[in-house]
Amino acid sequence: ISHKSAKQKQRKEGEKMAMDYAKCAKEIFDTVGGRSNLVSAAHCATRLRLVTVDNSKIDMKKLENIDGVKGVFSNNGQLQLIIGTGTVNKVYDEFLKVSGMTAATKEEVKAAAAAKQPVFKRMIKALGDVFVPILPAIVASGLMMGLVEALGKAMPAFAGSDWYGILDLFANTAFTFLPILIAVSAARVFGGNIFLGAVIGMIMIHPNLINAWSVASMDAADIPVWHLFGFSIRQVGYQGHVIPVIIAVWIMCKLENWLHKHVPEMIDLFVTPLCTVLITGFLTIGLIGPVFSTAETYVLEFASWIITVGHGIGAMIMGAIYPLTVVCGIHHMYNVIEAGMLASDGLNIWMPIASAANFAQGAACLAVGLKARNYKTKSISIPSALSAALGITEPAIFGVNLRFMKPLVCGMAGGAVGALLGSIFHIGATSYGVTGIPGFLTTLDYSAQYAIMLAVSFAVSFALTWFTWKEDPEDAKVTVAKTDDAPAAEPTATEETAEEVTVDGTAKKLYAPIQGTIVPRNEIPDDTFAAGVLGDGVGIDPEEGVVVAPFDGEISSVTDTKHAIGITGPADMEVLIHVGVDTVNMKGDGFELLVEEGQKVKAGQKLMTFDIAKIKAAGYSPVAAVLLTNSDDYPEFKVVKTGKTKRLEEVFTV
């Protein structure tokens, strides 16, 4: 036994000598192409995160073979090198020295990586960033609007009641003032003053302007105009529009930031906001809006023409591209086409096209929701799919399908097939403004055909999305939270005294640092932890937000973001306790460290507290990884506990 211990000790000492942080950093620096190929660098608890100019210049195999690098992968423009807790920060410090770079935050590295993405991807990401914060508002309004309209169609008496009036008011508020919501969110995304953004949004739907939805029923000669700068500007609002608002606020933010840099500080407070609103307002009303309105006219004329072309081929084309017109915010104007159809022959053949397209987008969104592991994605997708089934697709398109793109395309395919069927069946509605499930109320003479059309649209879109869309590995790490979203209960008297349980803190054992349910290491919702790259161990799905020392030892490392602790103990065990998945993004919010690096601790001593409810609310899994980072040194390593565990129950031995 003594001979074996001596060999282990000799090997460990050799490894420590071999792990030259400066040498490791220099080799990484040279292999990634030096300073000319580096944009930024940061690190988290276990990984060195780099953004390079061109990843294709890097020999990944050589990078993986550098002593100290345990794995390499590239994701979302970032090159991530797995080095390990307690080591990565030392390698990072040396990397900054050899590269001459300055420290960057993880968020700055993400921003640098995002800036390298193609323009189209950046535009899609910007749209997603704008819409994600306002999704709760439009999801709630979409569901309510669909239900209220359905009840009004089903019960004509209800449609004329005070209850209908007030519920309709609640339901359509978010959509009536959607440009303001978009403007505020866009200003936040583009780095401008959100209140100035709100003003631009308000200008675009000011009550002195003619409501955009009323313009179609007016003669062009009756629309009032302003004569400014030698141009005629129509006094028309932009209710229901998306793209012009985002463009206007993007220009506003660029202008505001430029003015902040060039206007003297003494007068900046009033000059910058004044000039920002005036210039952006004129550009919006005089240029952005009118240009977009002209584009709308062409789109509407094209839509009217194409649905009568080619024995259903035109309907199929419109069923496919209909969601794109929703993205542009011009789908409300299709009421003009529908009204014209009803006036000429009393049958609205446009409605089935829109209905097939909407239902298909809802099906794609539902497939994402059922397949996704990411808690935020799932919680947005499922209610958005229901909203789309009721005819309101903005939550599904902007919140989910457009963000991931592939579901949007699959939904377009399903919409095309459904619209073709609708045309073949000659389905027509007796009114307009209602699609999806409520559409049965306006297609009573074609109920069976309408049901088949929706079913086919749904099946094609759902199946295509299910088999072609794959969740990003980084997103998949944030798994579905437990159904019990309530904050962790206060520890009971028994739990409070758990630290006082008598254990042999010097034994070659690790005792549970957290009370909860033990998760096998390969089921920890993080690819790196699950693969054992950072050592063997277990995960613990916590029932309370307390971490205690798993043995007598010394704190070897703590993170600035307070979510991870390294501790060394008996038989030179080196343990990482990492609370939650990707909780580095919480920047310490919800975590409190009770120890510091170098501090001696006893088994059962409290090391950290954390808020389970906050972790879940932020969209992250609270599962903690408890890993023996040098498990290769212990061939007799064995997990001895599964299922529920209390603090300080024996978990694994070496």
Side-chain angles (χ1 to χ4, degrees), residues 162-374:
D162 291 343
W163 273 106
Y164 181 90
I166 194 168
L167 290 175
D168 185 56
L169 173 72
F170 295 163
N172 66 39
T173 296
F175 290 98
T176 299
F177 298 102
L178 184 61
I180 299 175
L181 294 177
I182 293 172
V184 170
S185 186
R188 179 190 60 81
V189 170
F190 299 137
N193 184 298
I194 61 172
F195 301 105
L196 293 181
V199 171
I200 298 302
M202 292 173 188
I203 287 172
M204 298 185 75
I205 59 169
H206 196 284
N208 285 355
L209 299 175
I210 297 173
N211 190 300
W213 297 323
S214 303
V215 172
S217 61
M218 299 176 62
D219 292 331
D222 295 333
I223 299 174
V225 297
W226 287 302
H227 299 285
L228 302 172
F229 308 116
F231 296 97
S232 297
I233 301 174
R234 300 197 312 166
Q235 299 177 26
V236 174
Y238 297 91
Q239 287 80 1
H241 292 290
V242 172
I243 301 301
V245 183
I246 294 176
I247 293 172
V249 174
W250 179 78
I251 291 172
M252 183 211 82
C253 294
K254 294 294 183 183
L255 176 61
E256 181 194 5
N257 290 328
W258 186 88
L259 289 170
H260 278 311
K261 292 177 182 178
H262 293 84
V263 174
E265 188 174 344
M266 183 180 299
I267 58 174
D268 179 64
L269 180 62
F270 61 89
V271 169
T272 295
L274 177 64
C275 293
T276 298
V277 171
L278 279 174
I279 296 171
T280 307
F282 277 118
L283 285 174
T284 301
I285 298 297
L287 180 63
I288 298 170
V291 167
F292 197 77
S293 295
T294 302
E296 278 181 349
T297 301
Y298 289 126
V299 170
L300 289 172
E301 290 177 354
F302 171 75
S304 299
W305 169 77
I306 200 169
I307 61 173
T308 61
V309 172
H311 303 291
I313 301 301
M316 184 175 68
I317 293 171
M318 284 310 302
I321 67 175
Y322 182 86
L324 302 181
T325 64
V326 174
V327 172
C328 296
I330 62 177
H331 57 299
H332 296 289
M333 305 301 291
Y334 292 141
N335 289 346
V336 179
I337 299 173
E338 295 178 281
M341 290 177 176
L342 289 170
S344 62
D345 57 16
L347 206 60
N348 174 11
I349 62 171
W350 175 265
M351 177 270 192
I353 296 172
S355 202
N358 289 347
F359 215 69
Q361 290 298 319
C365 184
L366 181 63
V368 170
L370 295 179
K371 193 175 181 182
R373 295 176 63 194
N374 182 287

Side-chain angles (χ1 to χ4, degrees), residues 438-521:
F440 278 102
L441 300 171
T442 66
T443 56
L444 296 176
D445 294 336
Y446 304 90
S447 295
Q449 297 96 319
Y450 187 70
I452 293 171
M453 181 194 75
L454 293 184
V456 170
S457 300
F458 182 96
V460 171
S461 178
F462 186 93
L464 286 174
T465 305
W466 185 268
F467 290 110
T468 63
W469 177 76
K470 293 181 180 179
E471 190 171 24
D472 188 292
E474 286 291 306
D475 290 335
K477 292 176 186 177
V478 189
T479 56
V480 179
K482 294 188 298 182
T483 54
D484 179 11
D485 286 327
E490 289 297 318
T492 62
T494 303
E495 292 166 347
E496 280 294 346
T497 58
E499 295 92 329
E500 299 173 11
V501 175
T502 301
V503 297
D504 183 358
T506 62
K508 296 179 181 180
K509 301 176 179 179
L510 179 137
Y511 299 96
I514 300 170
Q515 177 169 308
T517 302
I518 292 177
V519 177
R521 188 255 300 157

Side-chain angles (χ1 to χ4, degrees), residues 20 147 196 265 281 362 490 578 593 595:
D20 184 327
L147 290 170
L196 293 181
E265 188 174 344
E490 289 297 318
H578 190 290
L593 278 177
V595 291

